[in-house]
């Protein structure tokens, strides 16, 4: 069930025109392709977003995007807990991304788990001049001495690696031969591609090429009929755990978490599953397609944000299995209905009719829309940092006519949009948070869950509702104007 | 079911519920293929030994948990301290996303900064087109008074020439010919964020003093003193505190980069992309100041050298904290300005000394480990020594030989410094070994130290950038006598909290 409403198309179009007028001609022409208003589509119940995407950002406009390294080390590889991930190059990239994605895990840091560590080759000028391969080789030995229980090492390339012609693949092969461990070179230099997105793809390919189909220490694994992989949930604030719980409750066996709270074994075992369940389509569709082609494993997209989508997803997943699973899925939905009812009873009256603008990465700008609508809230604008065309097609199933759509939004545009639309809530990132709040507009970080979470599953929905309520209904918003200033 | 609308459990408590702990145990047993618990426990114990410490210190290539950042971060920080200035980073865009996030997480403020988004084609052909378009777009959209350009390592590796590129951009009318575009090459594989800060300050001075209208000669000497505060996570409050002193003394001054307004804007319904900062006109006339003082040696060494070439006297401090640090700074300001230190400030000094006297029994002989930027460690240790604390491990990932020599001289100046060792170029994984083999009572550093506190049980006091996990510390000073008082109280609080937590019989009401 989703709310029935439309947004003001004419106002959104006027707003787009206004921001484009501020740009020099060449830039305005390029930006125009990324801003649009959702229009009715031929398919019933869907809209058409009508923007171009996955194109280079314009210089000097304050894009919010990151880089391929962030997509690989920060998103895909970083959460794999029993491997050491080397930020290969100068110190900064690893430093700024150190412990910032909140990929929760169970393990002993520095002993059998390394997620919240910053390991870097800390390039100096001599490495640029003479190359970093020799030092990388020596570094891997040192890491094995420091962390003998590590299961493998990934080499996450920073910009200089690809520019100075280092051969990290040769180093990886040599060290694998010497140590027998999984050593993965990843060519995710920050200048590659146009955003984090290419980093996801490169990281997926590295799993395919350097992890799959290698001799495995765990031949004892016996496949079962209900084996699934939970793909592309990075366990932000523990998201993947309530998700796993729901899947187990409906009778499925989760043999791998990708990659939140994952061990290398879980990654390597994936091709033995019966079905891949993918949450963040953008960052891991590549590996799902590969597993489908090579191992014949089907994949299903699902959405565990908010009760409507959770129930739909549980049924969609169950439909891939037999009646036992389907029956259990219904039991799971019924089991949590009282929790859903109590959450809605508590928060819906306080949130009904409130408007939301989103700007996040490659999934959430659509995936969380129905969770807000479950609470009676309306999405008036949304956009992605690094989505592709297929993401915007999917978005049409989530957003209503008249919704403002902004791809790779610039700081200038987002500020103007927020200023003029004045939504009741903005969900975006740390770089956008403080400017928005200064305007007196409530804000939640929707990458890190603003240090809260989990938001996935029924357990997560209660937290999501609580957090949105506390942002919007905080008493502080009434204090912005000094009482002696005329209203 | 553990979850409810009435008592909503989030990550802090939810995952301690049996539904979850049982799920974790089953996942571990069936699917994770982790080492045995015994192997993990044995290795965890082994990392606490002297033998492991020796292996750890034998590391030459692997850097594990360093406490430093890269040059352009410092350049962006420095640039933001000038009036209506847009920091502009020539190179990959991901770096700028990182700088903005990193600074925003500490200051809880928006950090405007643009990149010119160089990608593969720029790697092959150079980033000239990027800078021509980038300057034009930034200028048109954000209407700054100045755009301060620094570089990422990508631009440095391919060898882009900022001076020539900016000149070309001006020829192509990206920005008006007389528009201020200072620049600094800031390769991240040289030095650290403190180096980048220094380079950007020098770049800005060099623009106004040598490039804007050709070479400027020092004219009639003004009454002003220039202050270069350096990369300081507490700059918001520290700059204000130092201004208060100088206003009280009647000294005229110019801060060369002042982020105290832009990193502390009010919530009143208006977002300020620019706020406060050093006036560009004041930078122009700063050449005629009586002298320039750098508050942090590593953040101003090249800038001071450049200022010296203009015939202006310079001097530097190493983050002057505590009683003697503040004394020395005030006496220097007094000497340069000819203005006496008034009684009101002397009284503040007396109140600080009074507070230390009251609490000295709890401070005397306390063993402390300190990490952070070289100047912070120096200033902090200097204050610890005068409180009777005994620093044991002083570590700076971005410290160099010159810093080690300065530290050793400082430690030699006090009997309380006798047992202390100084570690330059080492990281926090080294510090972990130091703390396990030679434990201290306290650890002082940044939020990164929280992992050390968790592993070793040694209480962490957060007193330097970055502080991500505690709010608003930067809104209160650490410099000056008031700042020292606040640092003293933070140290004492941790000491008393630790004493209470471990007390049974001696759980005293009065301490």
């Amino acid at each position: 069930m989703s709310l029935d409403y439309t947004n003001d198309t004419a106002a959104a179009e006027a707003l787009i025109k206004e921001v484009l007028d501020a740009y020099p001609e060449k830039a305005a022409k390029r930006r125009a392709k990324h801003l649009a208003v959702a229009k009715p589509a031929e398919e019933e119940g869907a809209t058409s977003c009508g923007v171009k995407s996955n194109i280079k950002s314009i210089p000097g406009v304050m894009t919010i995007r990151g880089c391929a390294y962030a997509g690989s080390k920060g998103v895909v590889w970083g959460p794999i807990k029993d491997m050491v991930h080397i930020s290969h190059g100068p110190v900064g990239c690893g430093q700024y991304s150190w412990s910032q994605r909140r990929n929760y895990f169970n393990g002993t840091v520095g002993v059998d788990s390394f997620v919240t560590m910053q390991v870097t080759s800390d390039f100096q000028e001599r490495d640029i001049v003479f190359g970093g391969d020799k030092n990388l080789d020596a570094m891997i030995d040192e890491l094995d001495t420091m962390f003998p229980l590590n299961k493998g090492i990934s080499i996450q390339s920073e910009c200089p690696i690809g520019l100075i012609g280092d051969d990290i693949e040769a180093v990886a092969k040599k060290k694998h031969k010497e140590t027998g461990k999984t050593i993965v070179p990843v060519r995710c230099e920050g200048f590659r591609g146009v955003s984090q997105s290419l980093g996801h793809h490169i990281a997926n390919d590295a799993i395919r090429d350097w992890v799959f189909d290698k001799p495995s220490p765990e031949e004892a694994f016996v496949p079962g009929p209900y084996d699934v992989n939970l793909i592309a949930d990075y366990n932000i604030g523990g998201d993947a755990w309530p998700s796993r719980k729901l899947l187990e409750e409906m009778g499925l066996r989760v043999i791998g978490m990708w990659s939140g709270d994952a061990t290398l074994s879980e990654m390597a075992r994936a091709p033995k599953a019966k079905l891949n369940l993918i949450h963040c389509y953008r960052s891991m569709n590549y590996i799902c397609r590969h597993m489908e082609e090579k191992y014949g494993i089907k994949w299903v997209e699902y959405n565990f944000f908010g009760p409507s989508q959770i129930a739909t997803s549980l049924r969609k997943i169950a439909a891939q299995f037999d009646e036992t699973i389907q029956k259990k899925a219904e039991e799971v939905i019924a089991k949590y209905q009282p929790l859903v009812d109590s959450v809605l009873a508590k928060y819906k009256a306080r949130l009904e009719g409130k408007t939301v603008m989103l700007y996040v990465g490659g999934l959430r700008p659509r995936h969380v829309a129905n969770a807000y609508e479950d609470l009676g809230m309306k999405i008036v604008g949304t956009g992605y940092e690094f989505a592709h065309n297929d993401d915007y097609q999917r978005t049409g199933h989530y957003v209503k006519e008249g919704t403002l759509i902004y791809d790779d939004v610039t700081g200038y545009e987002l500020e103007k949009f927020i200023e003029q639309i004045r939504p009741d809530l903005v969900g975006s990132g740390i770089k956008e948070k403080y400017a928005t709040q200064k305007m007196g507009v409530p804000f939640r970080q929707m990458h890190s869950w603003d240090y809260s979470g989990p938001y996935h599953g029924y357990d997560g929905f209660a937290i999501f509702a609580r957090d949105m309520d506390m942002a919007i209904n905080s008493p502080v918003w009434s204090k912005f104007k000094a009482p002696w200033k005329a209203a | 079911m553990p979850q409810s609308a009435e008592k909503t459990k989030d990550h802090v408590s939810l995952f301690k519920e049996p539904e979850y702990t049982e799920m974790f145990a089953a996942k571990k047993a069936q699917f994770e293929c982790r080492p045995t618990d015994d192997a993990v426990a044995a290795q965890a114990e082994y990392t606490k030994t002297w033998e492991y410490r020796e292996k750890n210190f034998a590391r030459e290539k692997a850097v594990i948990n360093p406490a430093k950042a890269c040059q352009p971060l410092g350049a962006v920080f420095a640039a933001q301290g000038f009036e209506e200035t847009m920091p502009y980073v020539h190179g990959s865009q991901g770096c700028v996303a990182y700088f903005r996030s990193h600074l925003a997480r500490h200051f809880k403020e928006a950090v405007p900064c643009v990149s010119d988004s160089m990608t593969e084609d720029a790697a092959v052909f150079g980033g000239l087109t990027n800078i021509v378009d980038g300057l034009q777009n930034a200028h048109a959209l954000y209407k700054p008074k100045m755009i301060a350009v620094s570089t990422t390592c990508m631009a440095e590796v391919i060898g882009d020439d900022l001076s020539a590129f900016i000149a070309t951009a001006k020829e192509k009318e990206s920005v008006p010919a007389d528009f201020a575009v200072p620049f600094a090459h800031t390769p991240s594989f040289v030095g650290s964020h403190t180096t980048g800060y220094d380079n950007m300050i020098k770049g800005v001075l060099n623009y106004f003093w040598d490039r804007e209208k050709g070479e400027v000669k020092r004219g009639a000497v003004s009454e002003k003193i220039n202050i270069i505060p350096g990369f300081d996570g507490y700059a918001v409050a520290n700059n204000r505190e130092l201004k208060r002193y100088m206003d009280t003394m009647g000294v005229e001054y110019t801060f060369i980069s002042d982020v105290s307004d832009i990193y502390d804007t009010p919530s009143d319904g208006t977002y300020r992309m620019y706020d406060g900062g050093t006036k560009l006109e004041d930078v122009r006339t700063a050449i005629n100041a009586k002298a320039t003082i750098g508050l942090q040696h590593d953040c101003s060494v090249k800038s001071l050298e450049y200022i010296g070439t203009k015939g202006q006297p310079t001097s530097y401090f190493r983050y002057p904290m505590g009683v003697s640090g503040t004394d020395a700074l005030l006496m220097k300001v007094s000497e340069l300005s000819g203005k006496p230190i008034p009684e009101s400030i002397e009284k503040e000094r007396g109140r600080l000394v009074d507070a230390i006297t009251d609490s000295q029994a709890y401070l005397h002989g306390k063993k402390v480990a300190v990490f952070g930027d070289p100047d912070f460690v120096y200033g902090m240790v200097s204050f610890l020594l005068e409180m009777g604390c005994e620093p044991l491990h002083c570590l700076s990932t971005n410290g160099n030989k010159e810093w080690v020599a300065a530290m050793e001289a400082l430690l030699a100046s006090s009997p309380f410094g006798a047992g202390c060792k100084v570690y330059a170029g080492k990281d926090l994984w080294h510090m972990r070994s130091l703390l396990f083999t030679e434990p201290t009572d306290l650890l002082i550093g940044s939020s990164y130290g929280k992992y050390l506190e968790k592993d070793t049980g040694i209480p962490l006091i957060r007193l330097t950038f970055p502080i991500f996990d505690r709010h608003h510390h930067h809104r209160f000073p650490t410099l000056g006598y008031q700042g020292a008082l606040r640092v003293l109280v933070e140290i004492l609080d941790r000491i008393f909290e630790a004493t209470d937590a471990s007390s049974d019989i001696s759980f005293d009401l009065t301490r």
Side-chain angles (χ1 to χ4, degrees), chain A residues 22-24 26-27 56-63 65-67 69-70 81 90-93 95-100 102 104 106-108 110-112 116-120 122-125 128 135 138-139 142-143 145-149 151 159-160 163-164 191-195 218 237-238 241-242 244-245 248 253-255 257 261 263 265-266 269 335-336 339 342-343 346-347 411-412 415 430-431 434-435 438-439 451-454 459 462-463 466 480-481, chain B residues 1-6 8-11 14-15 19-20 23-24 27 30-35 39-40 43-44 47 52 55-56 58-70 73 86 88 92-102 104-105 108-121 123 129-130 133-134 136-138 140-142 153-154 157-158 188-191 264-271 273 428-429 432 448 451 455 468:
Chain A
Y23 285 93
K26 183 174 154 193
K56 268 199 293 190
S57 301
I58 303 174
V61 296
M62 210 182 303
T63 175
R65 284 172 167 177
C67 64
Y69 163 89
K81 61 187 178 180
V91 71
C93 318
Q95 203 70 8
Y96 309 125
S97 55
W98 181 3
S99 287
Q100 293 300 348
R102 304 186 65 233
Y104 282 3
N106 284 302
T108 308
V111 178
D112 70 348
T116 49
M117 300 182 74
Q118 135 69 333
V119 178
T120 174
D122 188 15
F123 260 36
Q124 302 299 305
E125 199 148 23
I128 302 293
N135 287 350
M139 177 176 182
E142 290 178 1
L143 291 174
T145 306
M146 288 292 96
F147 310 119
L149 299 183
K151 292 294 179 67
C159 287
L163 298 171
I164 61 175
F191 62 82
R192 294 191 196 276
V194 304
S195 67
E218 43 151 13
W241 289 328
R244 182 187 185 100
K245 189 164 67 113
E248 287 183 351
R253 194 168 83 132
V254 181
I255 64 165
M257 311 252 288
D261 192 38
T263 59
S265 293
E266 293 177 63
R269 181 192 300 131
K335 175 188 163 187
Y336 286 96
L339 173 63
S342 67
V343 169
K346 182 167 180 184
Y347 296 108
Y412 178 84
E415 187 192 330
I430 184 75
K431 304 192 291 296
Y434 300 104
K438 306 275 177 191
M439 293 188 239
Y451 323 118
S452 178
D459 287 354
I463 304 163
R466 179 199 69 178
F480 272 48
K481 278 276 171 267
Chain B
M1 194 186 302
Q3 191 60 293
S4 75
E6 293 71 43
T8 301
K9 294 192 171 84
D10 61 19
H11 59 90
L14 183 65
F15 301 130
E19 274 192 30
Y20 282 97
M23 186 179 83
F24 296 154
K27 174 177 185 280
Q30 295 169 45
F31 302 108
E32 292 193 342
C33 302
R34 268 155 72 182
V40 171
Q43 175 63 19
T47 65
Y52 187 85
K55 287 184 183 173
N56 196 359
R59 255 194 295 139
E60 287 178 353
K61 306 299 177 198
V63 175
I64 305 168
N65 297 352
K68 68 170 180 181
C70 68
L73 181 83
M86 178 59 75
Y88 179 118
S92 300
Q93 69 194 16
C95 312
V96 169
Y98 280 141
F99 307 146
R100 296 179 68 204
S101 305
H102 200 68
R105 285 177 180 127
K108 317 292 181 205
E109 289 287 333
V111 180
C113 175
V114 301
S115 143
D116 56 18
S117 300
M118 286 167 63
T119 59
E120 283 109 328
D121 52 347
T129 316
N130 297 70
D133 289 352
Q136 185 192 22
N137 289 333
L141 277 186
Y142 300 111
C153 54
M154 179 210 184
V157 171
I158 64 174
S188 51
F189 44 82
V190 175
D264 193 22
T265 65
S267 269
D268 58 4
T270 304
Y271 164 55
M273 180 169 271
L428 299 185
W429 198 251
R432 188 175 182 273
Y448 296 131
Y451 299 111
D455 285 357
F468 296 140

Side-chain angles (χ1 to χ4, degrees), chain A residues 258-284:
Chain A
W258 277 53
S259 53
D261 192 38
T263 59
L264 179 59
S265 293
E266 293 177 63
M267 307 297 288
R269 181 192 300 131
K272 294 176 180 166
K274 291 285 176 297
L275 183 70
N276 279 326
L277 307 175
I278 179 168
H279 207 246
C280 178
Y281 169 82
R282 182 70 274 133
S283 60
M284 282 193 177

Side-chain angles (χ1 to χ4, degrees), chain A residues 280-328:
Chain A
C280 178
Y281 169 82
R282 182 70 274 133
S283 60
M284 282 193 177
N285 74 84
Y286 317 101
I287 202 74
C288 289
R289 291 175 199 280
H290 170 72
M291 284 195 259
E292 183 174 37
E293 279 166 27
K294 182 151 186 202
Y295 311 104
I297 304 171
K298 288 214 295 180
W299 50 283
V300 171
E301 290 177 61
Y302 71 103
N303 179 348
F304 273 0
F305 287 109
S308 308
Q309 283 295 333
I310 297 172
T312 305
S313 294
L314 289 175
R315 289 181 178 124
K316 186 174 165 190
I317 294 166
Q320 305 291 321
F321 294 94
D322 55 32
E323 282 176 10
T324 336
I325 300 291
Q326 287 162 19
K327 188 166 158 283
K328 277 194 189 168

